[in-house]
């Protein structure tokens, strides 16, 4: 059965902007404000990672300090280690996210350690987060394929997801990092993970590199999953497929869900404006088909 309501987790200001030309802190603040005005209540506002690895996110502390906070909105940050958590706590993030991978090679290239080492690193982070009553979300990358290893077994995705969940992550976001998945495979993957982690604790984080994200989401919605990550204006590129579109555009998924009678609490009109504004700042066309159709 399809859900009546879906919770959108907006990642444009982080997953999107980390893969675009750097924009000013003021532009990020404006984007995040516009997103909250559009009714989004879960907004990933930045990441506390090495600025040498991801210079676009180097001003995340300033972004958090400058937020025009809307009540009822959770502003979250991506944190790879204890240092990231400490920076996020100082900056006033409401929630953090750790990120692991279901692929050994991707783990090495993204966070410079093996899957098992990354889990070891997360232990002190989880302990400290607990002391501060800080909710932690968990991402698993490469759930439908890896740029280095190709296909990834559903059992491995389920294994890593279960570890992060048992460590205390309140939700596990399943990342098709390079957007290569297709619908039946996506559904089987979610079914495999839901045998280890309750399906209501899962989120879909499907990139749209190959144009499959909406189809993949549709194929998964009947499993009971009801949280979707997306990025306004399809912000973000794909470092593994030059010139390819990146994240699934929030406007596109909201349009599809509303058309199916599924509530999101988001105003499509205001969302499209938010996307148009940031696209203008970036000097690029809005990456959402729906936003372009709305004009
Ligand atoms: P490392 O070099 O192994 O770490 O990097 P290190 O502990 O040896 O530290 C090296 C330097 O980084 C030191 O500075 C540290 O202080 C600094 P130096 O002495 O050289 O000046 N450092 C930090 N600085 C700021 N914040 C921190 C931090 N930690 C160390 N938290 C590390 C390991 C994890 C830090 C590095 O690999 C890194 O930052 N990686 C981040 C990669 C990243 O952000 N990738 C994109 C996000 S993941 C993603 O997009 C996928 C997702 O969307 C889901 C999906 O689509 O699948 C979530
Ligand atoms: Mg991502």
């Amino acid at each position: 059965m399809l859900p009546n309501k879906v919770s959108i987790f907006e990642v444009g200001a982080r997953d999107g902007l980390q893969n675009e030309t750097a924009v000013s802190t003021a532009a990020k603040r404006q984007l995040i404000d516009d997103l909250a005005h559009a009714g989004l209540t879960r907004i990933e506002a930045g990441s506390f990672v090495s600025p040498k690895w991801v210079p676009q996110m180097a001003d995340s502390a300033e972004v958090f300090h400058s937020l025009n906070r809307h009540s009822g909105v959770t502003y979250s940050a991506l944190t790879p280690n204890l240092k990231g958590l400490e920076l996020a706590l100082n900056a006033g993030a409401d929630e953090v996210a750790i990120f692991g991978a279901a692929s050994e090679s991707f783990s090495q290239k993204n966070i410079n350690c093996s899957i098992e080492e990354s889990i070891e690193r997360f232990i002190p982070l989880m302990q400290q987060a607990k002391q501060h009553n800080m909710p932690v979300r968990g991402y698993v990358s490469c759930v439908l394929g890896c740029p280095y290893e190709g296909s990834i077994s559903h059992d491995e995705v389920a294994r890593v997801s279960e570890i992060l969940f048992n460590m205390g992550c309140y939700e596990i976001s399943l990342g098709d990092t390079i957007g290569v998945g297709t619908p039946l495979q996506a559904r089987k993957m979610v079914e495999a993970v839901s045998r280890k982690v309750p399906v209501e604790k899962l989120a879909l984080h499907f990139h749209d590199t190959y144009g499959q994200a909406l189809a993949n989401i549709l194929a998964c919605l009947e499993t009971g999953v009801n949280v979707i990550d997306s990025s306004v204006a399809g912000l973000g590129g794909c470092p593994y497929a030059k010139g390819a579109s990146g994240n699934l555009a929030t406007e596109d998924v909201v349009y599809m869900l509303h058309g199916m009678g599924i509530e999101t609490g988001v105003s499509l009109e205001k969302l499209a404006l938010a996307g148009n504004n940031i696209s203008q700042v970036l000097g690029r066309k809005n990456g959402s088909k729906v936003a372009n159709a709305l004009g």
Side-chain angles (χ1 to χ4, degrees):
M1 218 178 66
L2 290 169
N4 297 324
K5 212 174 166 205
V6 156
S7 165
I8 302 284
F9 190 94
E10 171 60 46
V11 297
R14 194 280 304 171
D15 203 358
L17 291 183
Q18 78 182 9
N19 264 311
E20 301 277 357
T21 333
V23 299
S24 69
T25 309
K28 291 180 181 179
R29 175 189 190 273
Q30 185 64 53
L31 168 65
I32 295 164
D33 199 34
D34 290 349
L35 293 168
H37 273 298
L40 287 152
T41 55
R42 304 175 74 190
I43 302 178
E44 202 166 58
S47 66
F48 294 97
V49 300
S50 162
K52 285 184 193 143
W53 287 60
V54 187
Q56 293 93 328
M57 292 288 116
D59 64 344
S60 289
E62 288 90 328
V63 171
F64 273 93
H65 286 303
S66 74
L67 288 177
N68 174 25
R69 284 178 178 267
H70 292 235
S71 73
V73 175
T74 300
Y75 299 93
S76 63
L78 199 69
T79 53
N81 51 19
L82 195 53
K83 175 167 181 163
L85 173 69
E86 280 160 2
L87 292 168
L89 282 165
N90 287 338
D94 299 320
E95 171 181 313
V96 295
I98 54 176
F99 49 112
S103 148
E104 249 342 305
S105 328
F106 190 83
S107 182
Q108 289 289 354
K109 300 265 184 193
N110 195 35
I111 49 177
N112 207 20
C113 63
S114 68
I115 297 174
E116 300 314 315
E117 282 164 347
S118 75
I119 289 160
E120 288 297 313
R121 272 186 201 174
F122 297 148
I123 294 171
L125 186 160
M126 295 302 295
Q127 283 166 347
Q128 181 118 344
K130 200 171 175 190
Q131 277 172 19
H132 288 86
N133 288 321
M134 174 74 100
V136 184
R137 197 170 194 244
Y139 284 101
V140 181
S141 288
C142 297
V143 300
L144 292 172
C146 166
Y148 312 105
E149 293 183 16
S151 65
I152 296 293
S153 87
H154 298 168
D155 285 350
E156 183 60 2
V157 179
R159 184 184 78 85
V160 178
S161 301
E162 187 181 24
I163 292 173
L164 296 188
F165 185 67
N166 287 344
M167 286 177 93
C169 291
Y170 77 89
E171 183 170 281
I172 303 297
S173 177
L174 300 167
D176 182 10
T177 318
I178 52 169
V180 290
T182 46
L184 298 183
Q185 180 200 16
R187 188 186 170 111
K188 282 193 185 128
M189 181 277 295
V190 170
E191 285 168 351
V193 178
S194 65
R195 286 193 279 275
K196 303 284 184 189
V197 178
V199 74
E200 61 277 10
K201 302 290 182 190
L202 300 178
L204 307 175
H205 179 107
F206 293 166
H207 286 237
D208 202 28
T209 325
Y210 287 77
Q212 304 295 300
L214 281 181
N216 293 345
I217 285 172
L218 186 57
C220 293
L221 274 181
E222 284 196 336
T223 64
V225 63
N226 62 12
V227 182
I228 295 172
D229 298 2
S230 58
S231 170
V232 69
L235 292 179
C238 179
Y240 311 101
K242 287 278 167 247
S245 63
N247 290 71
L248 168 63
T250 309
E251 297 91 317
D252 295 1
V253 70
V254 165
Y255 178 86
M256 180 182 88
L257 294 169
H258 289 183
M260 293 168 68
I262 299 172
E263 280 175 46
T264 64
V266 177
S267 153
L268 190 52
E269 215 173 55
K270 289 183 185 165
L271 179 63
L273 279 177
N276 287 341
N277 288 343
I278 188 68
S279 301
Q280 211 164 35
V281 171
L282 286 162
R284 72 146 157 108
K285 195 172 167 238
N286 190 320
S288 155
K289 284 210 157 92
V290 167
N292 288 318
L294 291 172

